[in-house]
């Protein structure tokens, strides 16, 4: 007897395989990649391409309706109520255009009548510059109109309603009408008809379902072909929404499948276990620690310790509130690795941060970082700093120490990724502020120790809290730890929105800084850009402000602000320093050192101080033109104060009127100090592509249907399912899913995996 499940019996082929075969048998079957010209003719295909850029059947079919008009909801005109959102079906009786008196453009006035047999109602509509409407809404045209019911000089009207023309056949069927996202010159009617032509050619043979059957059954999702039908030509509205959900799920599943595959790959790699030792550097460090670890540091520390001891590479993201002590957590992990004979590399996004980190690590380690030096402890190691701007001789020395294994920790920017950098025994890569690094860079770095087939462990730290759903979506191949709680010595930072057009507030701003400086503290003033030079302006804008809503904003330059500060009576005698990205590395280092030592009392800076800068004595920060920064950025910036047990004050300075929508974001930042809450708020106000990195890759948002916040549950389910599907050999078992994943990765160059 042969076991049919183990023998490759052609009769036992999966349904998926049979579908593929059917498609091969019928080469004329419509497929997603079929050129639209073949389906709808050259003329229509050209119109579609001009309107949306689509060239294939699959692309057009995934142009999903924005909403549906339910014929059940249609109101007779005579029953319309003022102020209501209403939908009517009516025939145009009259249309005329009128020039505007005091504005450019024209007003289209349309009168319609509905066919309520009892009492035909008349309704007036107006469209401002309705070029398309003027062409379509000719007397005799029938359409579904929806809009708000208004009163115009005693007459009922809809102003600028949405409408969709009705064809003869439409009427008979009493189905809900899809309303598609704005189609430019293409009328809804024409789009509906084009869609129908394409839909009529869709078959299971040409459109195999990438979502595995059992997953579909478990999640009660319709199959691909029936979902396409339901979403474009629903018989009832709930059916349309069920189909929509299926497409959202499919999108989530593809993404999660990619991530699950990365996890699988990772699990297949091996790493040298680094369990540490009971009487090594870490033990000595802990014993000398001047404070106790927070509960969160203990818990996350234990997780990391466990991961590092495994023979597979750790791949973990630690997120924590600003000031929660992530650096300490990372250092303890690095010490454990050193205790097991490995080295650690720590990557920072900027040179300022890298040298800060090196200094911080050396300070935290004290005599434990002085190997081979006078006063060094017996088990000591060394911390080296490698940046692009090191003098050649020093650079050689650092490289030598990395290659010989003498340096336990090497801190640097992406210069560390350079091919010349060799480690004797790279055991752990720590990436600080991961959102600035692309995934490729990280992969390259991880490959750094791979000569012997061993992958170093990776620890990613981000100071920008990431909402759970985004973490699942963007970092889905990474284990996540959340560092909760702040060290006990943290004092609260109070945040105020300062409307600077009011002179009293403006003066208060300067006198507050003066008071703090007189009390022995220090102050930051942060500005959105360096110079008034327009070229530089573009560069700053590209990395800074992340809101699309920004009208031309006031963006005070550092140069301008420096003059204001130096001239201000309240600040006479205050030692002012400046720090920005255009300074040479040694100038930056000097500016930071001056501020750290207190030689500089007021530091005027751009966002280079955003992350990681740690000067405990600073108690006040004024952020100028605060609306030009994103929510997360503002939260990061204010995390620089209130670090030394002294309460801090953060002033979000704006020239905007209180009513301006951007001020709402500032109020949100002022209202809470919870970074996770703000991250969610940030997410709501940003476009998805920004979060997922698509904006950097220059493309449109890669997530089409899925909305990260709204579809959290769908994403979680897809993650579960993907984890089950993706086991060794899954690609053979689920060829259609595999093909869809490939297609998706090709077209979007994995943009949504780019954490850049
Ligand atoms: P994060 O990187 O999470 O914003 P840091 O690692 O820069 O925070 O820590 C901020 C400051 O808090 C540092 O000066 C650090 O030495 C100190 N610190 C860290 N952990 C503790 C603790 N458990 N108790 C007191 N101070 C701590
Ligand atoms: Mg930090």
């Amino acid at each position: 007897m042969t076991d049919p499940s183990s023998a490759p019996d052609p009769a036992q082929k999966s349904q998926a395989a049979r579908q593929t075969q059917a498609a091969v048998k019928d080469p004329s079957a419509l497929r997603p990649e079929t050129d639209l010209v073949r389906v709808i003719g050259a003329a229509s295909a050209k119109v579609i391409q001009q309107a949306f850029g689509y060239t294939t059947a699959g692309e057009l079919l995934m142009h999903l309706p924005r909403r549906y008009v339910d014929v059940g909801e249609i109101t007779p005109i005579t029953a319309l109520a003022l102020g209501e959102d209403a939908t009517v079906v009516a025939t145009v009786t009259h249309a005329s255009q009128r020039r505007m008196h005091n504005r450019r453009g024209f007003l289209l006035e349309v009168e319609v009548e509905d066919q309520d047999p009892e009492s035909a109602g008349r309704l007036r509509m107006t469209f401002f510059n309705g070029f398309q409407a003027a062409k379509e809404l000719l007397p005799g045209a029938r359409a579904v109109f929806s809009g708000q019911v208004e009163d115009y000089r005693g007459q009922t009207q809809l102003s600028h309603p949405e409408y969709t023309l009705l064809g003869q056949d439409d009427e008979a069927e009493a189905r809900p009408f899809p309303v598609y996202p704005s189609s430019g010159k293409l009328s809804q009617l024409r789009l509906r008809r084009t869609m129908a032509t394409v839909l009529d050619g869709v078959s299971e043979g040409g459109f195999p379902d990438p979502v595995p059957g059992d997953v579909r059954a478990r999640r009660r999702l319709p199959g691909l072909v029936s979902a396409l039908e339901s979403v474009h030509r629903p018989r009832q509205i709930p059916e349309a929404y069920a189909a929509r959900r299926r497409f959202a799920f499919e999108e989530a599943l593809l993404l999660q499948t990619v991530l699950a595959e990365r996890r699988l790959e990772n699990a297949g790699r091996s790493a040298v276990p680094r369990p540490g030792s009971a009487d090594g550097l870490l033990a000595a460090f802990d014993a000398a620690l001047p404070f106790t670890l927070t509960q969160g540091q203990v818990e996350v520390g234990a997780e990391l310790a466990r991961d590092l001891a495994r023979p597979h590479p750790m791949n973990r993201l630690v997120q924590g509130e600003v000031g929660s002590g992530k650096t300490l957590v990372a250092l303890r992990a690095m010490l454990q690795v050193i205790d097991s004979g490995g080295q650690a590399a720590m990557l920072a996004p900027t040179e300022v941060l890298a040298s800060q980190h090196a200094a911080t690590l050396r300070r935290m380690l004290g005599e434990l970082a002085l190997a081979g030096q006078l006063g060094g402890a017996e088990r000591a190691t060394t911390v080296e700093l490698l940046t692009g701007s090191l003098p050649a001789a020093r650079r050689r020395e650092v490289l030598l120490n990395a290659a010989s294994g003498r340096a336990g920790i090497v801190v640097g920017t992406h210069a560390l990724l350079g091919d010349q950098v060799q480690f004797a025994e790279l055991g752990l890569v720590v990436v600080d502020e991961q959102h600035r690094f692309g995934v490729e860079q990280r992969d390259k770095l991880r490959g750094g120790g791979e000569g012997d087939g061993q992958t170093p462990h990776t620890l990613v730290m981000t100071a920008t809290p990431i909402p759970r759903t985004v973490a699942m979506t963007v970092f889905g191949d990474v284990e996540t730890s959340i560092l909760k709680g702040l060290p006990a010595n943290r004092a609260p930072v109070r945040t105020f929105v300062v409307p600077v057009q009011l002179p009293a507030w403006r003066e208060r701003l300067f006198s507050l800084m003066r008071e703090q400086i007189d009390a022995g503290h220090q102050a930051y003033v942060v500005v959105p850009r360096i110079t008034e030079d327009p070229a530089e302006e573009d560069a700053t804008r590209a990395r800074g402000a992340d809101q699309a809503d920004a009208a031309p904003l006031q963006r005070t330059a550092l140069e301008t602000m420096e003059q204001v500060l130096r001239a201000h009576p309240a600040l006479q005698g205050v030692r002012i320093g400046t720090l920005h990205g255009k300074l040479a590395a040694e100038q930056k280092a000097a500016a930071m050192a001056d501020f750290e030592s207190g030689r500089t009392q007021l530091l005027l800076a751009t966002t280079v101080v955003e992350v990681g800068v740690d000067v405990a004595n600073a108690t006040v920060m004024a952020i100028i033109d605060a609306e030009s920064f994103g929510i997360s950025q503002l939260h990061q910036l204010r995390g620089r104060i209130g670090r030394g047990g002294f309460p801090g004050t953060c002033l979000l300075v704006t020239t905007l009127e209180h009513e301006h929508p951007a001020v709402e974001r500032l109020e949100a930042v002022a209202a809470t100090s919870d970074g996770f809450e703000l991250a969610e708020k940030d997410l709501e106000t940003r476009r998805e592509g920004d979060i997922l990195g698509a904006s950097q890759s220059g493309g449109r948002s890669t997530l089409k249907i899925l909305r990260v916040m709204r579809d959290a549950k769908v994403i979680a389910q897809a993650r579960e399912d993907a984890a089950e599907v993706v086991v060794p050999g899954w690609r053979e078992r689920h060829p259609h899913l595999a093909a869809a994943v490939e297609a998706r990765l090709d077209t979007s160059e994995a943009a949504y995996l780019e954490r850049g």
Side-chain angles (χ1 to χ4, degrees), residues 315 349 370 406 451 468 506 525 574 593:
N315 195 14
L370 299 177
R406 216 175 91 81
R468 205 179 69 88
R506 194 162 52 226
V525 175
V574 170

Side-chain angles (χ1 to χ4, degrees), residues 387-411:
T387 58
S389 55
L390 279 190
R394 179 77 195 110
R395 183 179 168 80
R396 264 198 304 280
E397 210 177 321
V398 173
L399 290 175
L400 198 65
N401 286 342
S404 69
R406 216 175 91 81
I409 298 174
V410 183
V411 185

Side-chain angles (χ1 to χ4, degrees), residues 393-475:
R394 179 77 195 110
R395 183 179 168 80
R396 264 198 304 280
E397 210 177 321
V398 173
L399 290 175
L400 198 65
N401 286 342
S404 69
R406 216 175 91 81
I409 298 174
V410 183
V411 185
T413 61
H414 49 269
L416 258 194
L417 300 174
D419 294 328
Q420 323 90 308
V421 186
Q422 297 285 332
F423 287 87
E425 180 76 36
L426 183 58
L428 171 64
V429 176
V430 177
V431 184
D432 192 16
E433 317 304 348
Q434 157 81 7
H435 56 290
R436 301 275 172 85
F437 287 101
V439 71
E440 286 151 45
Q441 280 174 306
R442 200 189 68 187
D443 281 350
K444 183 165 176 190
L445 191 76
R446 301 188 69 191
E450 232 166 349
D452 48 1
Q454 304 290 338
T455 306
H457 299 282
T458 313
L459 169 59
V460 175
M461 300 194 297
T462 166
T464 312
I466 302 169
R468 205 179 69 88
T469 45
V470 178
M472 266 192 316
T473 315
V474 187
F475 291 97

Side-chain angles (χ1 to χ4, degrees), residues 472-515:
M472 266 192 316
T473 315
V474 187
F475 291 97
D477 59 332
V478 177
E479 310 289 336
T480 316
S481 303
I482 293 180
L483 188 55
K484 296 196 190 87
L486 296 179
N489 63 351
R490 287 302 140 78
V493 173
R494 291 181 308 161
T495 305
F496 301 97
V497 179
V498 179
V500 80
Q501 71 275 24
L502 302 178
W505 279 90
R506 194 162 52 226
E507 291 320 303
R508 182 75 192 106
L509 177 77
F510 291 108
S511 59
L512 182 77
M513 284 193 273
R514 181 72 204 214
E515 281 162 25

Side-chain angles (χ1 to χ4, degrees), residues 443-658:
D443 281 350
K444 183 165 176 190
L445 191 76
R446 301 188 69 191
E450 232 166 349
D452 48 1
Q454 304 290 338
T455 306
H457 299 282
T458 313
L459 169 59
V460 175
M461 300 194 297
T462 166
T464 312
I466 302 169
R468 205 179 69 88
T469 45
V470 178
M472 266 192 316
T473 315
V474 187
F475 291 97
D477 59 332
V478 177
E479 310 289 336
T480 316
S481 303
I482 293 180
L483 188 55
K484 296 196 190 87
L486 296 179
N489 63 351
R490 287 302 140 78
V493 173
R494 291 181 308 161
T495 305
F496 301 97
V497 179
V498 179
V500 80
Q501 71 275 24
L502 302 178
W505 279 90
R506 194 162 52 226
E507 291 320 303
R508 182 75 192 106
L509 177 77
F510 291 108
S511 59
L512 182 77
M513 284 193 273
R514 181 72 204 214
E515 281 162 25
Q516 288 298 308
I517 288 168
D518 283 346
H521 293 300
Q522 289 163 282
Y524 292 99
V525 175
V526 181
V527 288
R529 60 171 158 157
I530 304 172
T531 64
E532 301 287 351
D533 174 11
E536 187 272 329
E537 159 77 339
D538 291 344
T540 320
R541 189 179 288 273
R543 75 163 290 292
D546 48 23
Q547 60 280 16
D549 57 300
L553 290 172
Q554 168 106 9
R555 290 163 55 77
T556 305
L558 186 137
E559 291 164 351
T560 316
M561 198 62 202
E562 187 173 3
Q563 287 166 12
V564 172
L565 294 175
R566 292 199 188 278
H568 201 280
L571 297 176
Q572 288 313 300
V574 170
R575 295 187 299 275
I576 298 174
T578 57
L579 176 65
H580 57 80
K582 287 270 168 69
L583 293 178
E586 57 274 21
Q587 288 174 300
K588 282 184 211 160
M592 269 322 296
D594 281 348
F595 194 60
E596 270 161 23
S597 70
R599 275 191 298 275
T600 297
Q601 295 166 302
L602 188 158
L603 185 65
L604 171 61
T606 56
T607 51
V608 290
V609 298
E610 179 186 338
V611 278
V613 172
D614 189 14
V615 176
N617 191 40
T619 52
V620 56
M621 173 179 282
I623 304 175
I624 309 300
D625 301 326
E627 69 278 3
S628 30
F629 302 96
I631 290 180
S632 299
Q633 235 180 345
L634 292 170
H635 184 59
Q636 279 302 311
L637 282 167
R638 82 174 149 184
R640 302 308 110 209
I641 52 174
R643 296 192 146 230
F646 315 107
T649 308
C650 176
L651 306 166
L652 306 178
V653 180
T654 178
T655 52
L656 298 179
E657 302 288 333
H658 187 72

Side-chain angles (χ1 to χ4, degrees), residues 291-292 294 297 322-328 364 487 490 614 643:
F291 42 69
T292 47
T294 64
Q297 285 171 324
V322 181
S324 57
K326 291 181 292 291
T327 312
L328 183 73
M364 285 175 149
R490 287 302 140 78
D614 189 14
R643 296 192 146 230

